[in-house]
Each structure stands twice: as C-alpha cells, then as structure tokens.
Amino acid sequence: MDKIRALILSGGGGRGAFHAGVYKYLMETRKQSVDSSHASAWDPQVVVGTSIGAVNGAAIAQGMSADELVSVWKSLEEKDIQGLPPGMRGLARWFARKAFGAIMDANLPQVQPQDATSPMPKEFWPPLPMVSTWWGEKFIGRWINLLDTGPLRKTLHTRFKFDPEKLSESKKALLIAATNVQTGERMIFSNRAIQRRDTGEARRDVSTGITADRILASCSIPLVYPWTFDPETNAFYWDGALVANTPIGVALDVMKDVPMDVPAEIVVVLMTPWWGFDDPAPHTARKLPESFGDAITWTLDWMLLSSFRESLKLINTFNDLAARERAEGQGPYKYREVKVMIAAPDDFLPVERIIDYDGDVSAMLVQKGYLAAKNLFEKSFPTLE
C-alpha cells in the first residue's frame, strides 16, 4: 500500500448533495490535469460522517456508486426526510406549515404515530403562560421538536439502500458521530472495533455496529428533530456536529495497523467556505452580514468549523514531527505523514438549506461539489510538465 485514504463528510442537512458531487469527482477514473497517481479513482479505505455525512457515508461504505448517490440526491424531496410531529395540533400545525412553506416551498405532511420518531411529552407546550391547558391541548398539542425524522428512517432503506450486513462486512471502515444529550460527550459508532493508536487500548467513545437509528442519532439536529435513543449504549443522542463536525483524529486511529511509513491522504468535505492565508476570501466574507439570515448562517458555520481548525493545527504539528523523523532517518516511525485536503463551497450556503431538500437546488449543489473537488485535486496534484 503506497497510501491510505480517508474521506470526512461534515454535517449540513440538505447541503449534503454537495458531498455527492465531491464523491462523483473523486471516483472518476480519467481525471484531467492531475498527476498520474491521482488520475484514477480516489477510493477511500476510511469514511467518517457526521449528520447528513453519516447518511452519505453509510451509502458509500456499503458500495453505492457515485452516480447512484447523485441520482438519489437529485430525486429527494422534503417529505422524504421529514414531516410535522404527530403531537402537533391545529394552530401550531398551521403556523409550522406556513413557516416551513416559506423556507422550503413545501407542504409537509404530518407523520403518523406508528411511523414517528418524536417522543410525546407529558405536557403541552404553551406559547404564552396564560393559555389554559384545554386550549393548549386543542390548538398547540404536545411536541418538543419542530420536525419528525420518521420519513428519513424509511428513506434510508428505500432510497439509500441501507443494509447493516453489508456495512459490517464492508472493507471500508465507517465511523459516524453523535452527541450524548445528557453529557454533551461525543460518541462514535463504527462498523469495526477501534483502538487508540498511541496505547492500543479500545476507545471508550466508540461503539461497534451501525444501525438505522444510529444514523438517525447522528442527524438529530437539536430542537428541529427529536433526539434518538440507542438501547445498546442506553443513551439519547443529538446531532454529532454539536461537538465534532469533522472528527479526523478517530480516522487516524483506524489506520493504526497500517505501517507508519505509509502516508495518509484525507479529503475533508465542508459545507462552509474555506480559504487559506494566500487565498482570496469569498465575496460574501469581504463584508459584514447584511441580514438576520446571514448572521445565523455565519454563526452556525463558524461554530461548526471551530473544532476542525483545532484538529488541523494538531495534525500540522504532527506533520512537523513526522518530517523531522524522516530527515533524521530514524525508524520505525512514530508519526505518519498526513496530507489534509479540503473541498468546500466557494461561498456561504444559506442556513435554510439544512432542512430544504429541493431537487433542483440539490442538482446545483452536486455541481458545486464536483467543481470544488476538481479544483482541489488540480491544485493539490498538478500535472508535472
């Protein structure tokens, strides 16, 4: 093995079509304007996904082709992912449909109780303290999340072809991140056991096995979607992006059994614009947010990027140590050379795209992802002339 490759798919809801575009380019077998060692398919041995990245990551790890993944995304509609919780009643339901209709131009159905993932709270949620219990029960209902993920659970099986047996037997390592609701700690679900690369001990924050509910757990955006209970770990989970949108460290632990003289290439797919010190800032970032929507988008995106920035600094430090080891000619090596490449949109993607799964917009995001990966590889691996 001359290199080991990892693909990190960050969270972002409906923005996940961008992942599909990136993957389409990575798997092309005749890439132009890149060196010969990267012109063929860039097929990852390790896939790490958070939130919608867990959905796409599972599809990739179990063998779905890039063209199939793109086709799924272009055909998705909002009702395939979410609906109104069954406990939402008349007035609240009317307001929710009006609000979500303005955001995603869709009339969301109400999920039936037998198909729902939402918990039923003991008390109704009054918009004002003076509202009586009778009025609250009749017009507001009982609900603690705005949308239900019952449709997503079904879509995992029908459209993304989720198959736990295929995942357990896959040659690709799959890791998905979730956040423990009651402790705030990160949990990684994996299709294989993982040991710490420094001590060889089993990681306590990793639970083996990928189920549909564990993928839902990674996607459970707080307040928007319900938390998800996992019986094996006896815990409730929210979206993994809360604490680890791009968990690179655990991907390196998967590589523990690969000799340290084998370098790693990691492609990180972000849903947020990224630029280096020498790169021009995106047009939007050259000014301040101009609307409430802009402010929310920027706030969310910078929060999601914060942990990744710290991980990248740490990897750069380890790369310096790896370079020093090799310069001194001392082996066996303790540190692996890691090349991190970032595929990201060239500007901010509106925050409402997190819950918007419109097929036309998804097609545009697929194209953006494809071009982002193409530009990344042409810059990272230019043809030698």
Side-chain angles (χ1 to χ4, degrees):
M1 181 184 295
D2 60 341
K3 294 182 182 68
I4 184 166
R5 295 166 170 169
L7 177 63
I8 315 292
L9 303 173
S10 66
R15 302 169 174 181
F18 188 86
H19 292 160
V22 170
Y23 190 58
K24 180 175 175 60
Y25 177 81
L26 294 180
M27 295 304 292
E28 285 193 346
T29 57
R30 295 182 180 180
K31 298 183 183 70
Q32 302 295 316
S33 303
V34 298
D35 65 37
S36 58
S37 64
H38 292 86
S40 59
W42 191 93
D43 195 11
Q45 291 88 33
V46 181
V47 181
V48 182
T50 300
S51 196
I52 198 63
V55 175
N56 287 331
I60 291 169
Q62 68 182 35
M64 180 175 283
S65 71
D67 287 339
E68 288 176 312
L69 187 60
V70 167
S71 178
V72 168
W73 271 98
K74 288 183 176 180
S75 66
L76 284 178
E77 299 179 21
E78 288 82 4
K79 63 182 177 62
D80 298 318
I81 305 297
Q82 60 219 350
L84 301 182
M88 189 176 282
R89 295 289 177 259
L91 187 61
R93 190 166 55 228
W94 183 84
F95 272 111
R97 282 185 170 145
K98 283 290 184 182
F100 289 127
I103 293 173
M104 62 182 78
D105 191 26
N107 185 23
L108 291 177
Q110 189 163 30
V111 180
Q112 296 302 306
Q114 67 271 19
D115 300 322
T117 57
S118 300
M120 185 67 73
K122 294 181 179 179
E123 298 180 356
F124 77 98
W125 182 36
L128 294 172
M130 67 281 297
V131 175
S132 70
T133 301
W134 185 89
W135 284 98
E137 292 281 3
K138 185 174 180 61
F139 293 105
I140 306 300
R142 299 186 184 187
W143 45 279
I144 55 175
N145 46 272
L146 297 172
L147 294 170
D148 187 276
T149 50
L152 174 57
R153 177 190 279 164
K154 181 179 179 180
T155 297
L156 283 174
H157 294 279
T158 59
R159 309 288 282 281
F160 287 96
K161 307 299 183 185
F162 174 71
D163 187 333
E165 290 187 7
K166 279 188 178 180
L167 281 177
S168 65
E169 297 169 358
S170 175
K171 293 181 180 180
K172 298 182 188 296
L174 173 66
L175 305 93
I176 61 176
T179 303
N180 188 305
V181 173
Q182 293 167 292
T183 67
E185 296 175 305
R186 183 191 70 183
M187 172 59 74
I188 297 291
F189 300 117
S190 173
N191 64 344
R192 63 191 62 183
I194 300 175
Q195 293 80 34
R196 296 186 62 88
R197 60 187 180 279
D198 50 355
T199 65
E201 298 177 349
R203 290 190 60 136
R204 295 183 178 180
D205 61 344
V206 176
S207 181
T208 306
I210 304 292
T211 65
D213 280 346
R214 287 182 166 187
I215 294 176
L216 286 182
S218 185
C219 298
S220 299
I221 302 172
L223 303 182
V224 178
Y225 298 135
W227 53 60
T228 303
F229 178 70
D230 178 61
E232 185 173 337
T233 56
N234 193 33
F236 295 87
Y237 294 98
W238 267 333
D239 195 318
L242 285 177
V243 294
N245 197 34
T246 49
I248 295 181
V250 70
L252 295 175
D253 280 351
V254 177
M255 304 175 187
K256 175 182 175 296
D257 294 330
V258 177
M260 284 294 179
D261 59 348
V262 176
E265 290 181 352
I266 300 179
V267 171
V268 179
V269 187
L270 300 177
M271 306 296 193
T272 301
W274 178 273
W275 62 97
F277 291 111
D278 299 326
D279 299 327
H283 175 74
T284 305
R286 298 173 194 173
K287 52 188 178 181
L288 292 173
E290 296 183 338
S291 68
F292 185 70
D294 284 350
I296 294 177
T297 299
W298 288 35
T299 299
L300 177 64
D301 284 350
W302 295 153
M303 287 174 61
L304 295 179
L305 271 183
S306 60
S307 62
F308 174 66
R309 294 183 192 278
E310 296 305 313
S311 296
L312 196 57
K313 290 177 183 178
L314 190 59
I315 287 176
N316 289 336
T317 299
F318 286 144
N319 274 336
D320 291 340
L321 295 172
R324 183 180 303 175
E325 279 186 325
R326 284 151 181 78
E328 295 174 352
Q330 298 177 357
Y333 299 127
K334 184 178 179 181
Y335 302 100
R336 189 187 308 280
E337 292 178 305
V338 179
K339 183 179 181 66
V340 178
M341 298 165 285
I342 302 166
D346 55 11
D347 214 332
F348 291 94
L349 302 177
V351 69
E352 58 265 26
R353 275 299 303 172
I354 290 178
I355 58 172
D356 188 0
Y357 287 80
D358 179 79
D360 292 340
V361 179
S362 291
M364 177 268 293
L365 289 175
V366 167
Q367 182 65 12
K368 281 182 174 288
Y370 180 92
L371 293 176
K374 182 176 184 292
N375 293 335
L376 172 65
F377 267 55
E378 290 177 356
K379 182 178 180 179
S380 302
F381 310 109
T383 303
L384 300 178
E385 298 180 349

